Amino acid sequence: MLSDQQFLRIPGPTPIPPSVQRAILQPMIGHRDEETKMLLQTIRPRLKPIFGTEQEVLILAGSGTSGLETAVVNTTQPHDEVLVLVTGAFGERFAQICEAHQLVTHRMEAPPGEAIAPEHVKAFLSANPSIKVVFATFCETSTAVLNPIQELAQVVQQNSDALLVVDGVSCVGGVETKMDDWGIDVLVTGSQKALMLPPGLTFIAVSDRAWDRVHHNPRPRFYFDLKKYHDNLVKDSTPFTPAVSLLFGLDQVLNLVEEEGVKQVFTRHQLMMKMTRSACHALQLPLLTTDQSASPTVTAVYPRDFQANELRHVLLKEFGLNLAGGQQELKNKIFRIGHMGYCSLADVLQTISLLELGLARLGVGREAGVGSAAAQLTFLNGGKTE
Amino acid sequence: MLSDQQFLRIPGPTPIPPSVQRAILQPMIGHRDEETKMLLQTIRPRLKPIFGTEQEVLILAGSGTSGLETAVVNTTQPHDEVLVLVTGAFGERFAQICEAHQLVTHRMEAPPGEAIAPEHVKAFLSANPSIKVVFATFCETSTAVLNPIQELAQVVQQNSDALLVVDGVSCVGGVETKMDDWGIDVLVTGSQKALMLPPGLTFIAVSDRAWDRVHHNPRPRFYFDLKKYHDNLVKDSTPFTPAVSLLFGLDQVLNLVEEEGVKQVFTRHQLMMKMTRSACHALQLPLLTTDQSASPTVTAVYPRDFQANELRHVLLKEFGLNLAGGQQELKNKIFRIGHMGYCSLADVLQTISLLELGLARLGVGREAGVGSAAAQLTFLNGGKTE
């Protein structure tokens, strides 16, 4: 193997397309120059179809977590009661942010690998009319669960006056998202997952009724104050120095998305998920999630006859294939295959073939090629599994 | 002129060295991988000489303003009394962050172009023993003033128990800074000024006595909570996804700084300041600051016989030279020449020659070449002006 080759198939950060790399390298410009204003003008409207919204998508310099905290501090006041839907490590992070900001924080947890059931949320909200905000994770990166945001949004709307705030970090851009139609009030994502950029940007869109709360919210904040970002829109500007080189890259990311077609991007992610899952079935690799709650961007595998980290170690050392492990109680139990962003059907097939090689090295008695065959068949069937 | 050439001589963002550009382009890696840990291990100790500290320099993904807010929320509690030394737009921003976070905020202002006088601070602190933190701007980007941080630190230490928090965004890395020796408690900077990187990182170092306050501070915070960054140091990690590509770039920036020698970097900035100032004197371009309060990273010029923005417009349109204008009450009155980061003596000479061409185009009666001659002479004299 070429010693400098590495296949980054973790659920983010994800590989950067060469044309995006080149775009990032454009000579630096002044952050208050006409060129930056034009760049923002060019970018902003093109983010809307990805979010499924007519609202402005605001861009902050920071990690995804800074976007989640921005959502929390703008929509809540100390001692508000909130409900956090926890399906793994990132739901738990949302809850910790809420607690750090003095919210009365109710957690509704699902077992690892399971999604939140909308009827549980319905029951909780009916019994707890004082909930001001429901926080949900769209794709829970740590378990590869895709929560049913459309149904959850419906339940929240029909059973409460609460806002619905959604962490879309590890799927927006790869999974169809209809913020406006579904009734998401605040949707957050990051740059380093399906959006094919290095980490360093976070994106946030806000519904009209959430803007109303944001504008009247006296909670102390400055860098995270969405009003400041909103007020700068008319000037095609940002309140603080934007991460200009990532904006150059984002412009090219949007070119790539538009060339492929945003719907086709979502279809490709669906297909990559199905190929990966059918390969795992064929290789007798148990999946952590059901088909119904599986994310198109990441797949979690829970092998019972070998240690997940042994396989990961072999794959990385011998073949340069970088898969993610499990976190917390899933540590060393699962491995996770990222298939999002700059990842093609060909990349999935390569990943599966290397995975088969790794299994051969472990000597766990899987037949060579059956995973590859299953993935190919799924592709040839247009995503229909047998 | 080559249509794609532009000379970015604003006080940040600043040009990126080609080798740093190439470093930024390294293939993406996992943010929790061994390679990222090694990168952080390699980088962290080498930031210390730039800050003049034995403390760890923490790295956050965000704009410089996010670093300033981090300093505010970690060192204060609501209703604390603080003093902000305001010498321009960025001192005023510090004050606004303090007000946003419910601090009883006293401003001490100096007229545009003047530094804060330490004796005024001494008198204020003696009369106001309840001040918990003094916030100061090292280089005030908007006026090109370098405040006397060493003297201010001495005055703060001798006349109060207050912490001294310093915004070093537009000079740390270009100006000698001795955080420990001088007694700065919190020092903040950004990536896009003297540190030759795109915007997107902010750096923060904290003294022992400030750490003590940070660790006992109950103020709600999450992304900006320095304790989280501190606790991750032992794991060579960061609490949230770092801006990996900028860390690749930072490693190469540190290589460049070490090849030149950090003292030589500071000397180069001194020399660039002196060359620029002597050229302006020779061209009868009045300077906004005195020699004593001039910053080595940026020079502000206050012409009396023409509009600053007319000159800037000609320089940009005709010669691709991008100088900064004035802000707020200095709008259209001053122009500012950035000479920091990836900027050499040769770049300063080029800037001055183009400036002379611009003056010729305006027809304001300056003799061609006298500024260039003065700058060259200053260089040949090793920075001694006549």
Side-chain angles (χ1 to χ4, degrees), chain A residues 61-106:
Chain A
S63 306
T65 301
S66 72
L68 303 184
E69 184 168 359
T70 299
V72 171
V73 298
N74 280 276
T75 57
T76 65
Q77 294 183 46
H79 316 302
D80 277 356
E81 261 188 88
V82 301
L83 172 64
V84 185
L85 310 180
V86 178
T87 46
F90 287 91
E92 176 56 28
R93 177 169 294 179
F94 235 154
Q96 287 172 5
I97 298 172
C98 289
E99 286 173 337
H101 287 289
Q102 303 172 295
L103 303 178
V104 180
T105 305
H106 302 270

Side-chain angles (χ1 to χ4, degrees), chain B residues 327-378:
Chain B
Q327 297 173 304
Q328 292 156 6
E329 72 265 41
L330 293 171
K331 200 162 187 164
N332 203 13
K333 290 187 177 157
I334 64 168
F335 63 90
R336 292 173 297 150
I337 305 170
H339 35 75
M340 74 176 104
Y342 191 56
C343 187
S344 67
L345 309 177
D347 292 323
V348 170
L349 291 175
Q350 180 184 50
T351 303
I352 289 164
S353 253
L354 291 175
L355 179 63
E356 291 181 330
L357 268 187
L359 292 168
R361 278 284 189 271
L362 284 195
V364 291
R366 260 58 163 198
E367 198 183 336
V370 298
S372 296
Q376 290 167 26
L377 210 59
T378 300

Side-chain angles (χ1 to χ4, degrees), chain A residues 6-21 24 191-199 249 253 256 268-269 272 297 320-322 337-344 347-348 350-351, chain B residues 24-31 245 248:
Chain A
Q6 215 197 81
F7 308 100
L8 187 67
R9 295 292 164 224
I10 65 173
T14 59
I16 317 299
S19 68
V20 175
Q21 291 278 39
I24 286 173
S191 51
Q192 78 278 16
K193 309 269 185 178
L195 288 178
M196 306 188 278
L197 284 168
V253 162
L256 293 177
R268 170 168 52 86
H269 282 82
M272 294 193 296
T297 56
L321 175 62
N322 193 344
I337 305 169
H339 34 77
M340 74 176 102
Y342 191 57
C343 186
S344 67
D347 292 322
V348 170
Q350 180 184 51
T351 302
Chain B
I24 286 173
L25 276 210
Q26 281 171 67
M28 188 49 57
I29 55 176
H31 63 302
S245 54
F248 287 141

Side-chain angles (χ1 to χ4, degrees), chain A residues 233-250:
Chain A
L233 287 175
V234 290
K235 297 184 272 177
D236 288 310
S237 182
T238 55
F240 314 115
T241 310
V244 182
S245 52
L246 293 180
L247 295 183
F248 287 140
L250 177 57

Side-chain angles (χ1 to χ4, degrees), chain A residues 21 33 63 69 223 241 322, chain B residues 25 33 63 69 223 241 322:
Chain A
Q21 291 278 39
D33 287 354
S63 306
E69 184 168 359
Y223 189 73
T241 310
N322 193 344
Chain B
L25 276 210
D33 287 354
S63 306
E69 184 168 0
Y223 190 74
T241 309
N322 192 343

Side-chain angles (χ1 to χ4, degrees), chain B residues 223-243:
Chain B
Y223 190 74
F224 294 152
D225 187 353
L226 286 174
K227 289 179 295 185
K228 293 191 200 299
Y229 293 85
H230 181 267
D231 294 348
N232 272 272
L233 287 176
V234 290
K235 299 185 272 177
D236 288 311
S237 183
T238 54
F240 314 115
T241 309

Side-chain angles (χ1 to χ4, degrees), chain B residues 210-267:
Chain B
W211 268 123
D212 193 56
R213 197 177 295 184
V214 170
H215 282 297
H216 295 96
N217 188 342
R219 187 197 275 275
R221 60 206 194 270
F222 196 85
Y223 190 74
F224 294 152
D225 187 353
L226 286 174
K227 289 179 295 185
K228 293 191 200 299
Y229 293 85
H230 181 267
D231 294 348
N232 272 272
L233 287 176
V234 290
K235 299 185 272 177
D236 288 311
S237 183
T238 54
F240 314 115
T241 309
V244 182
S245 54
L246 293 180
L247 295 183
F248 287 141
L250 177 57
D251 185 38
Q252 175 56 16
V253 162
L254 293 168
N255 289 340
L256 293 177
V257 168
E258 288 161 7
E259 276 167 32
E260 185 175 1
V262 64
K263 277 190 186 303
Q264 275 312 108
V265 171
F266 299 150
T267 306

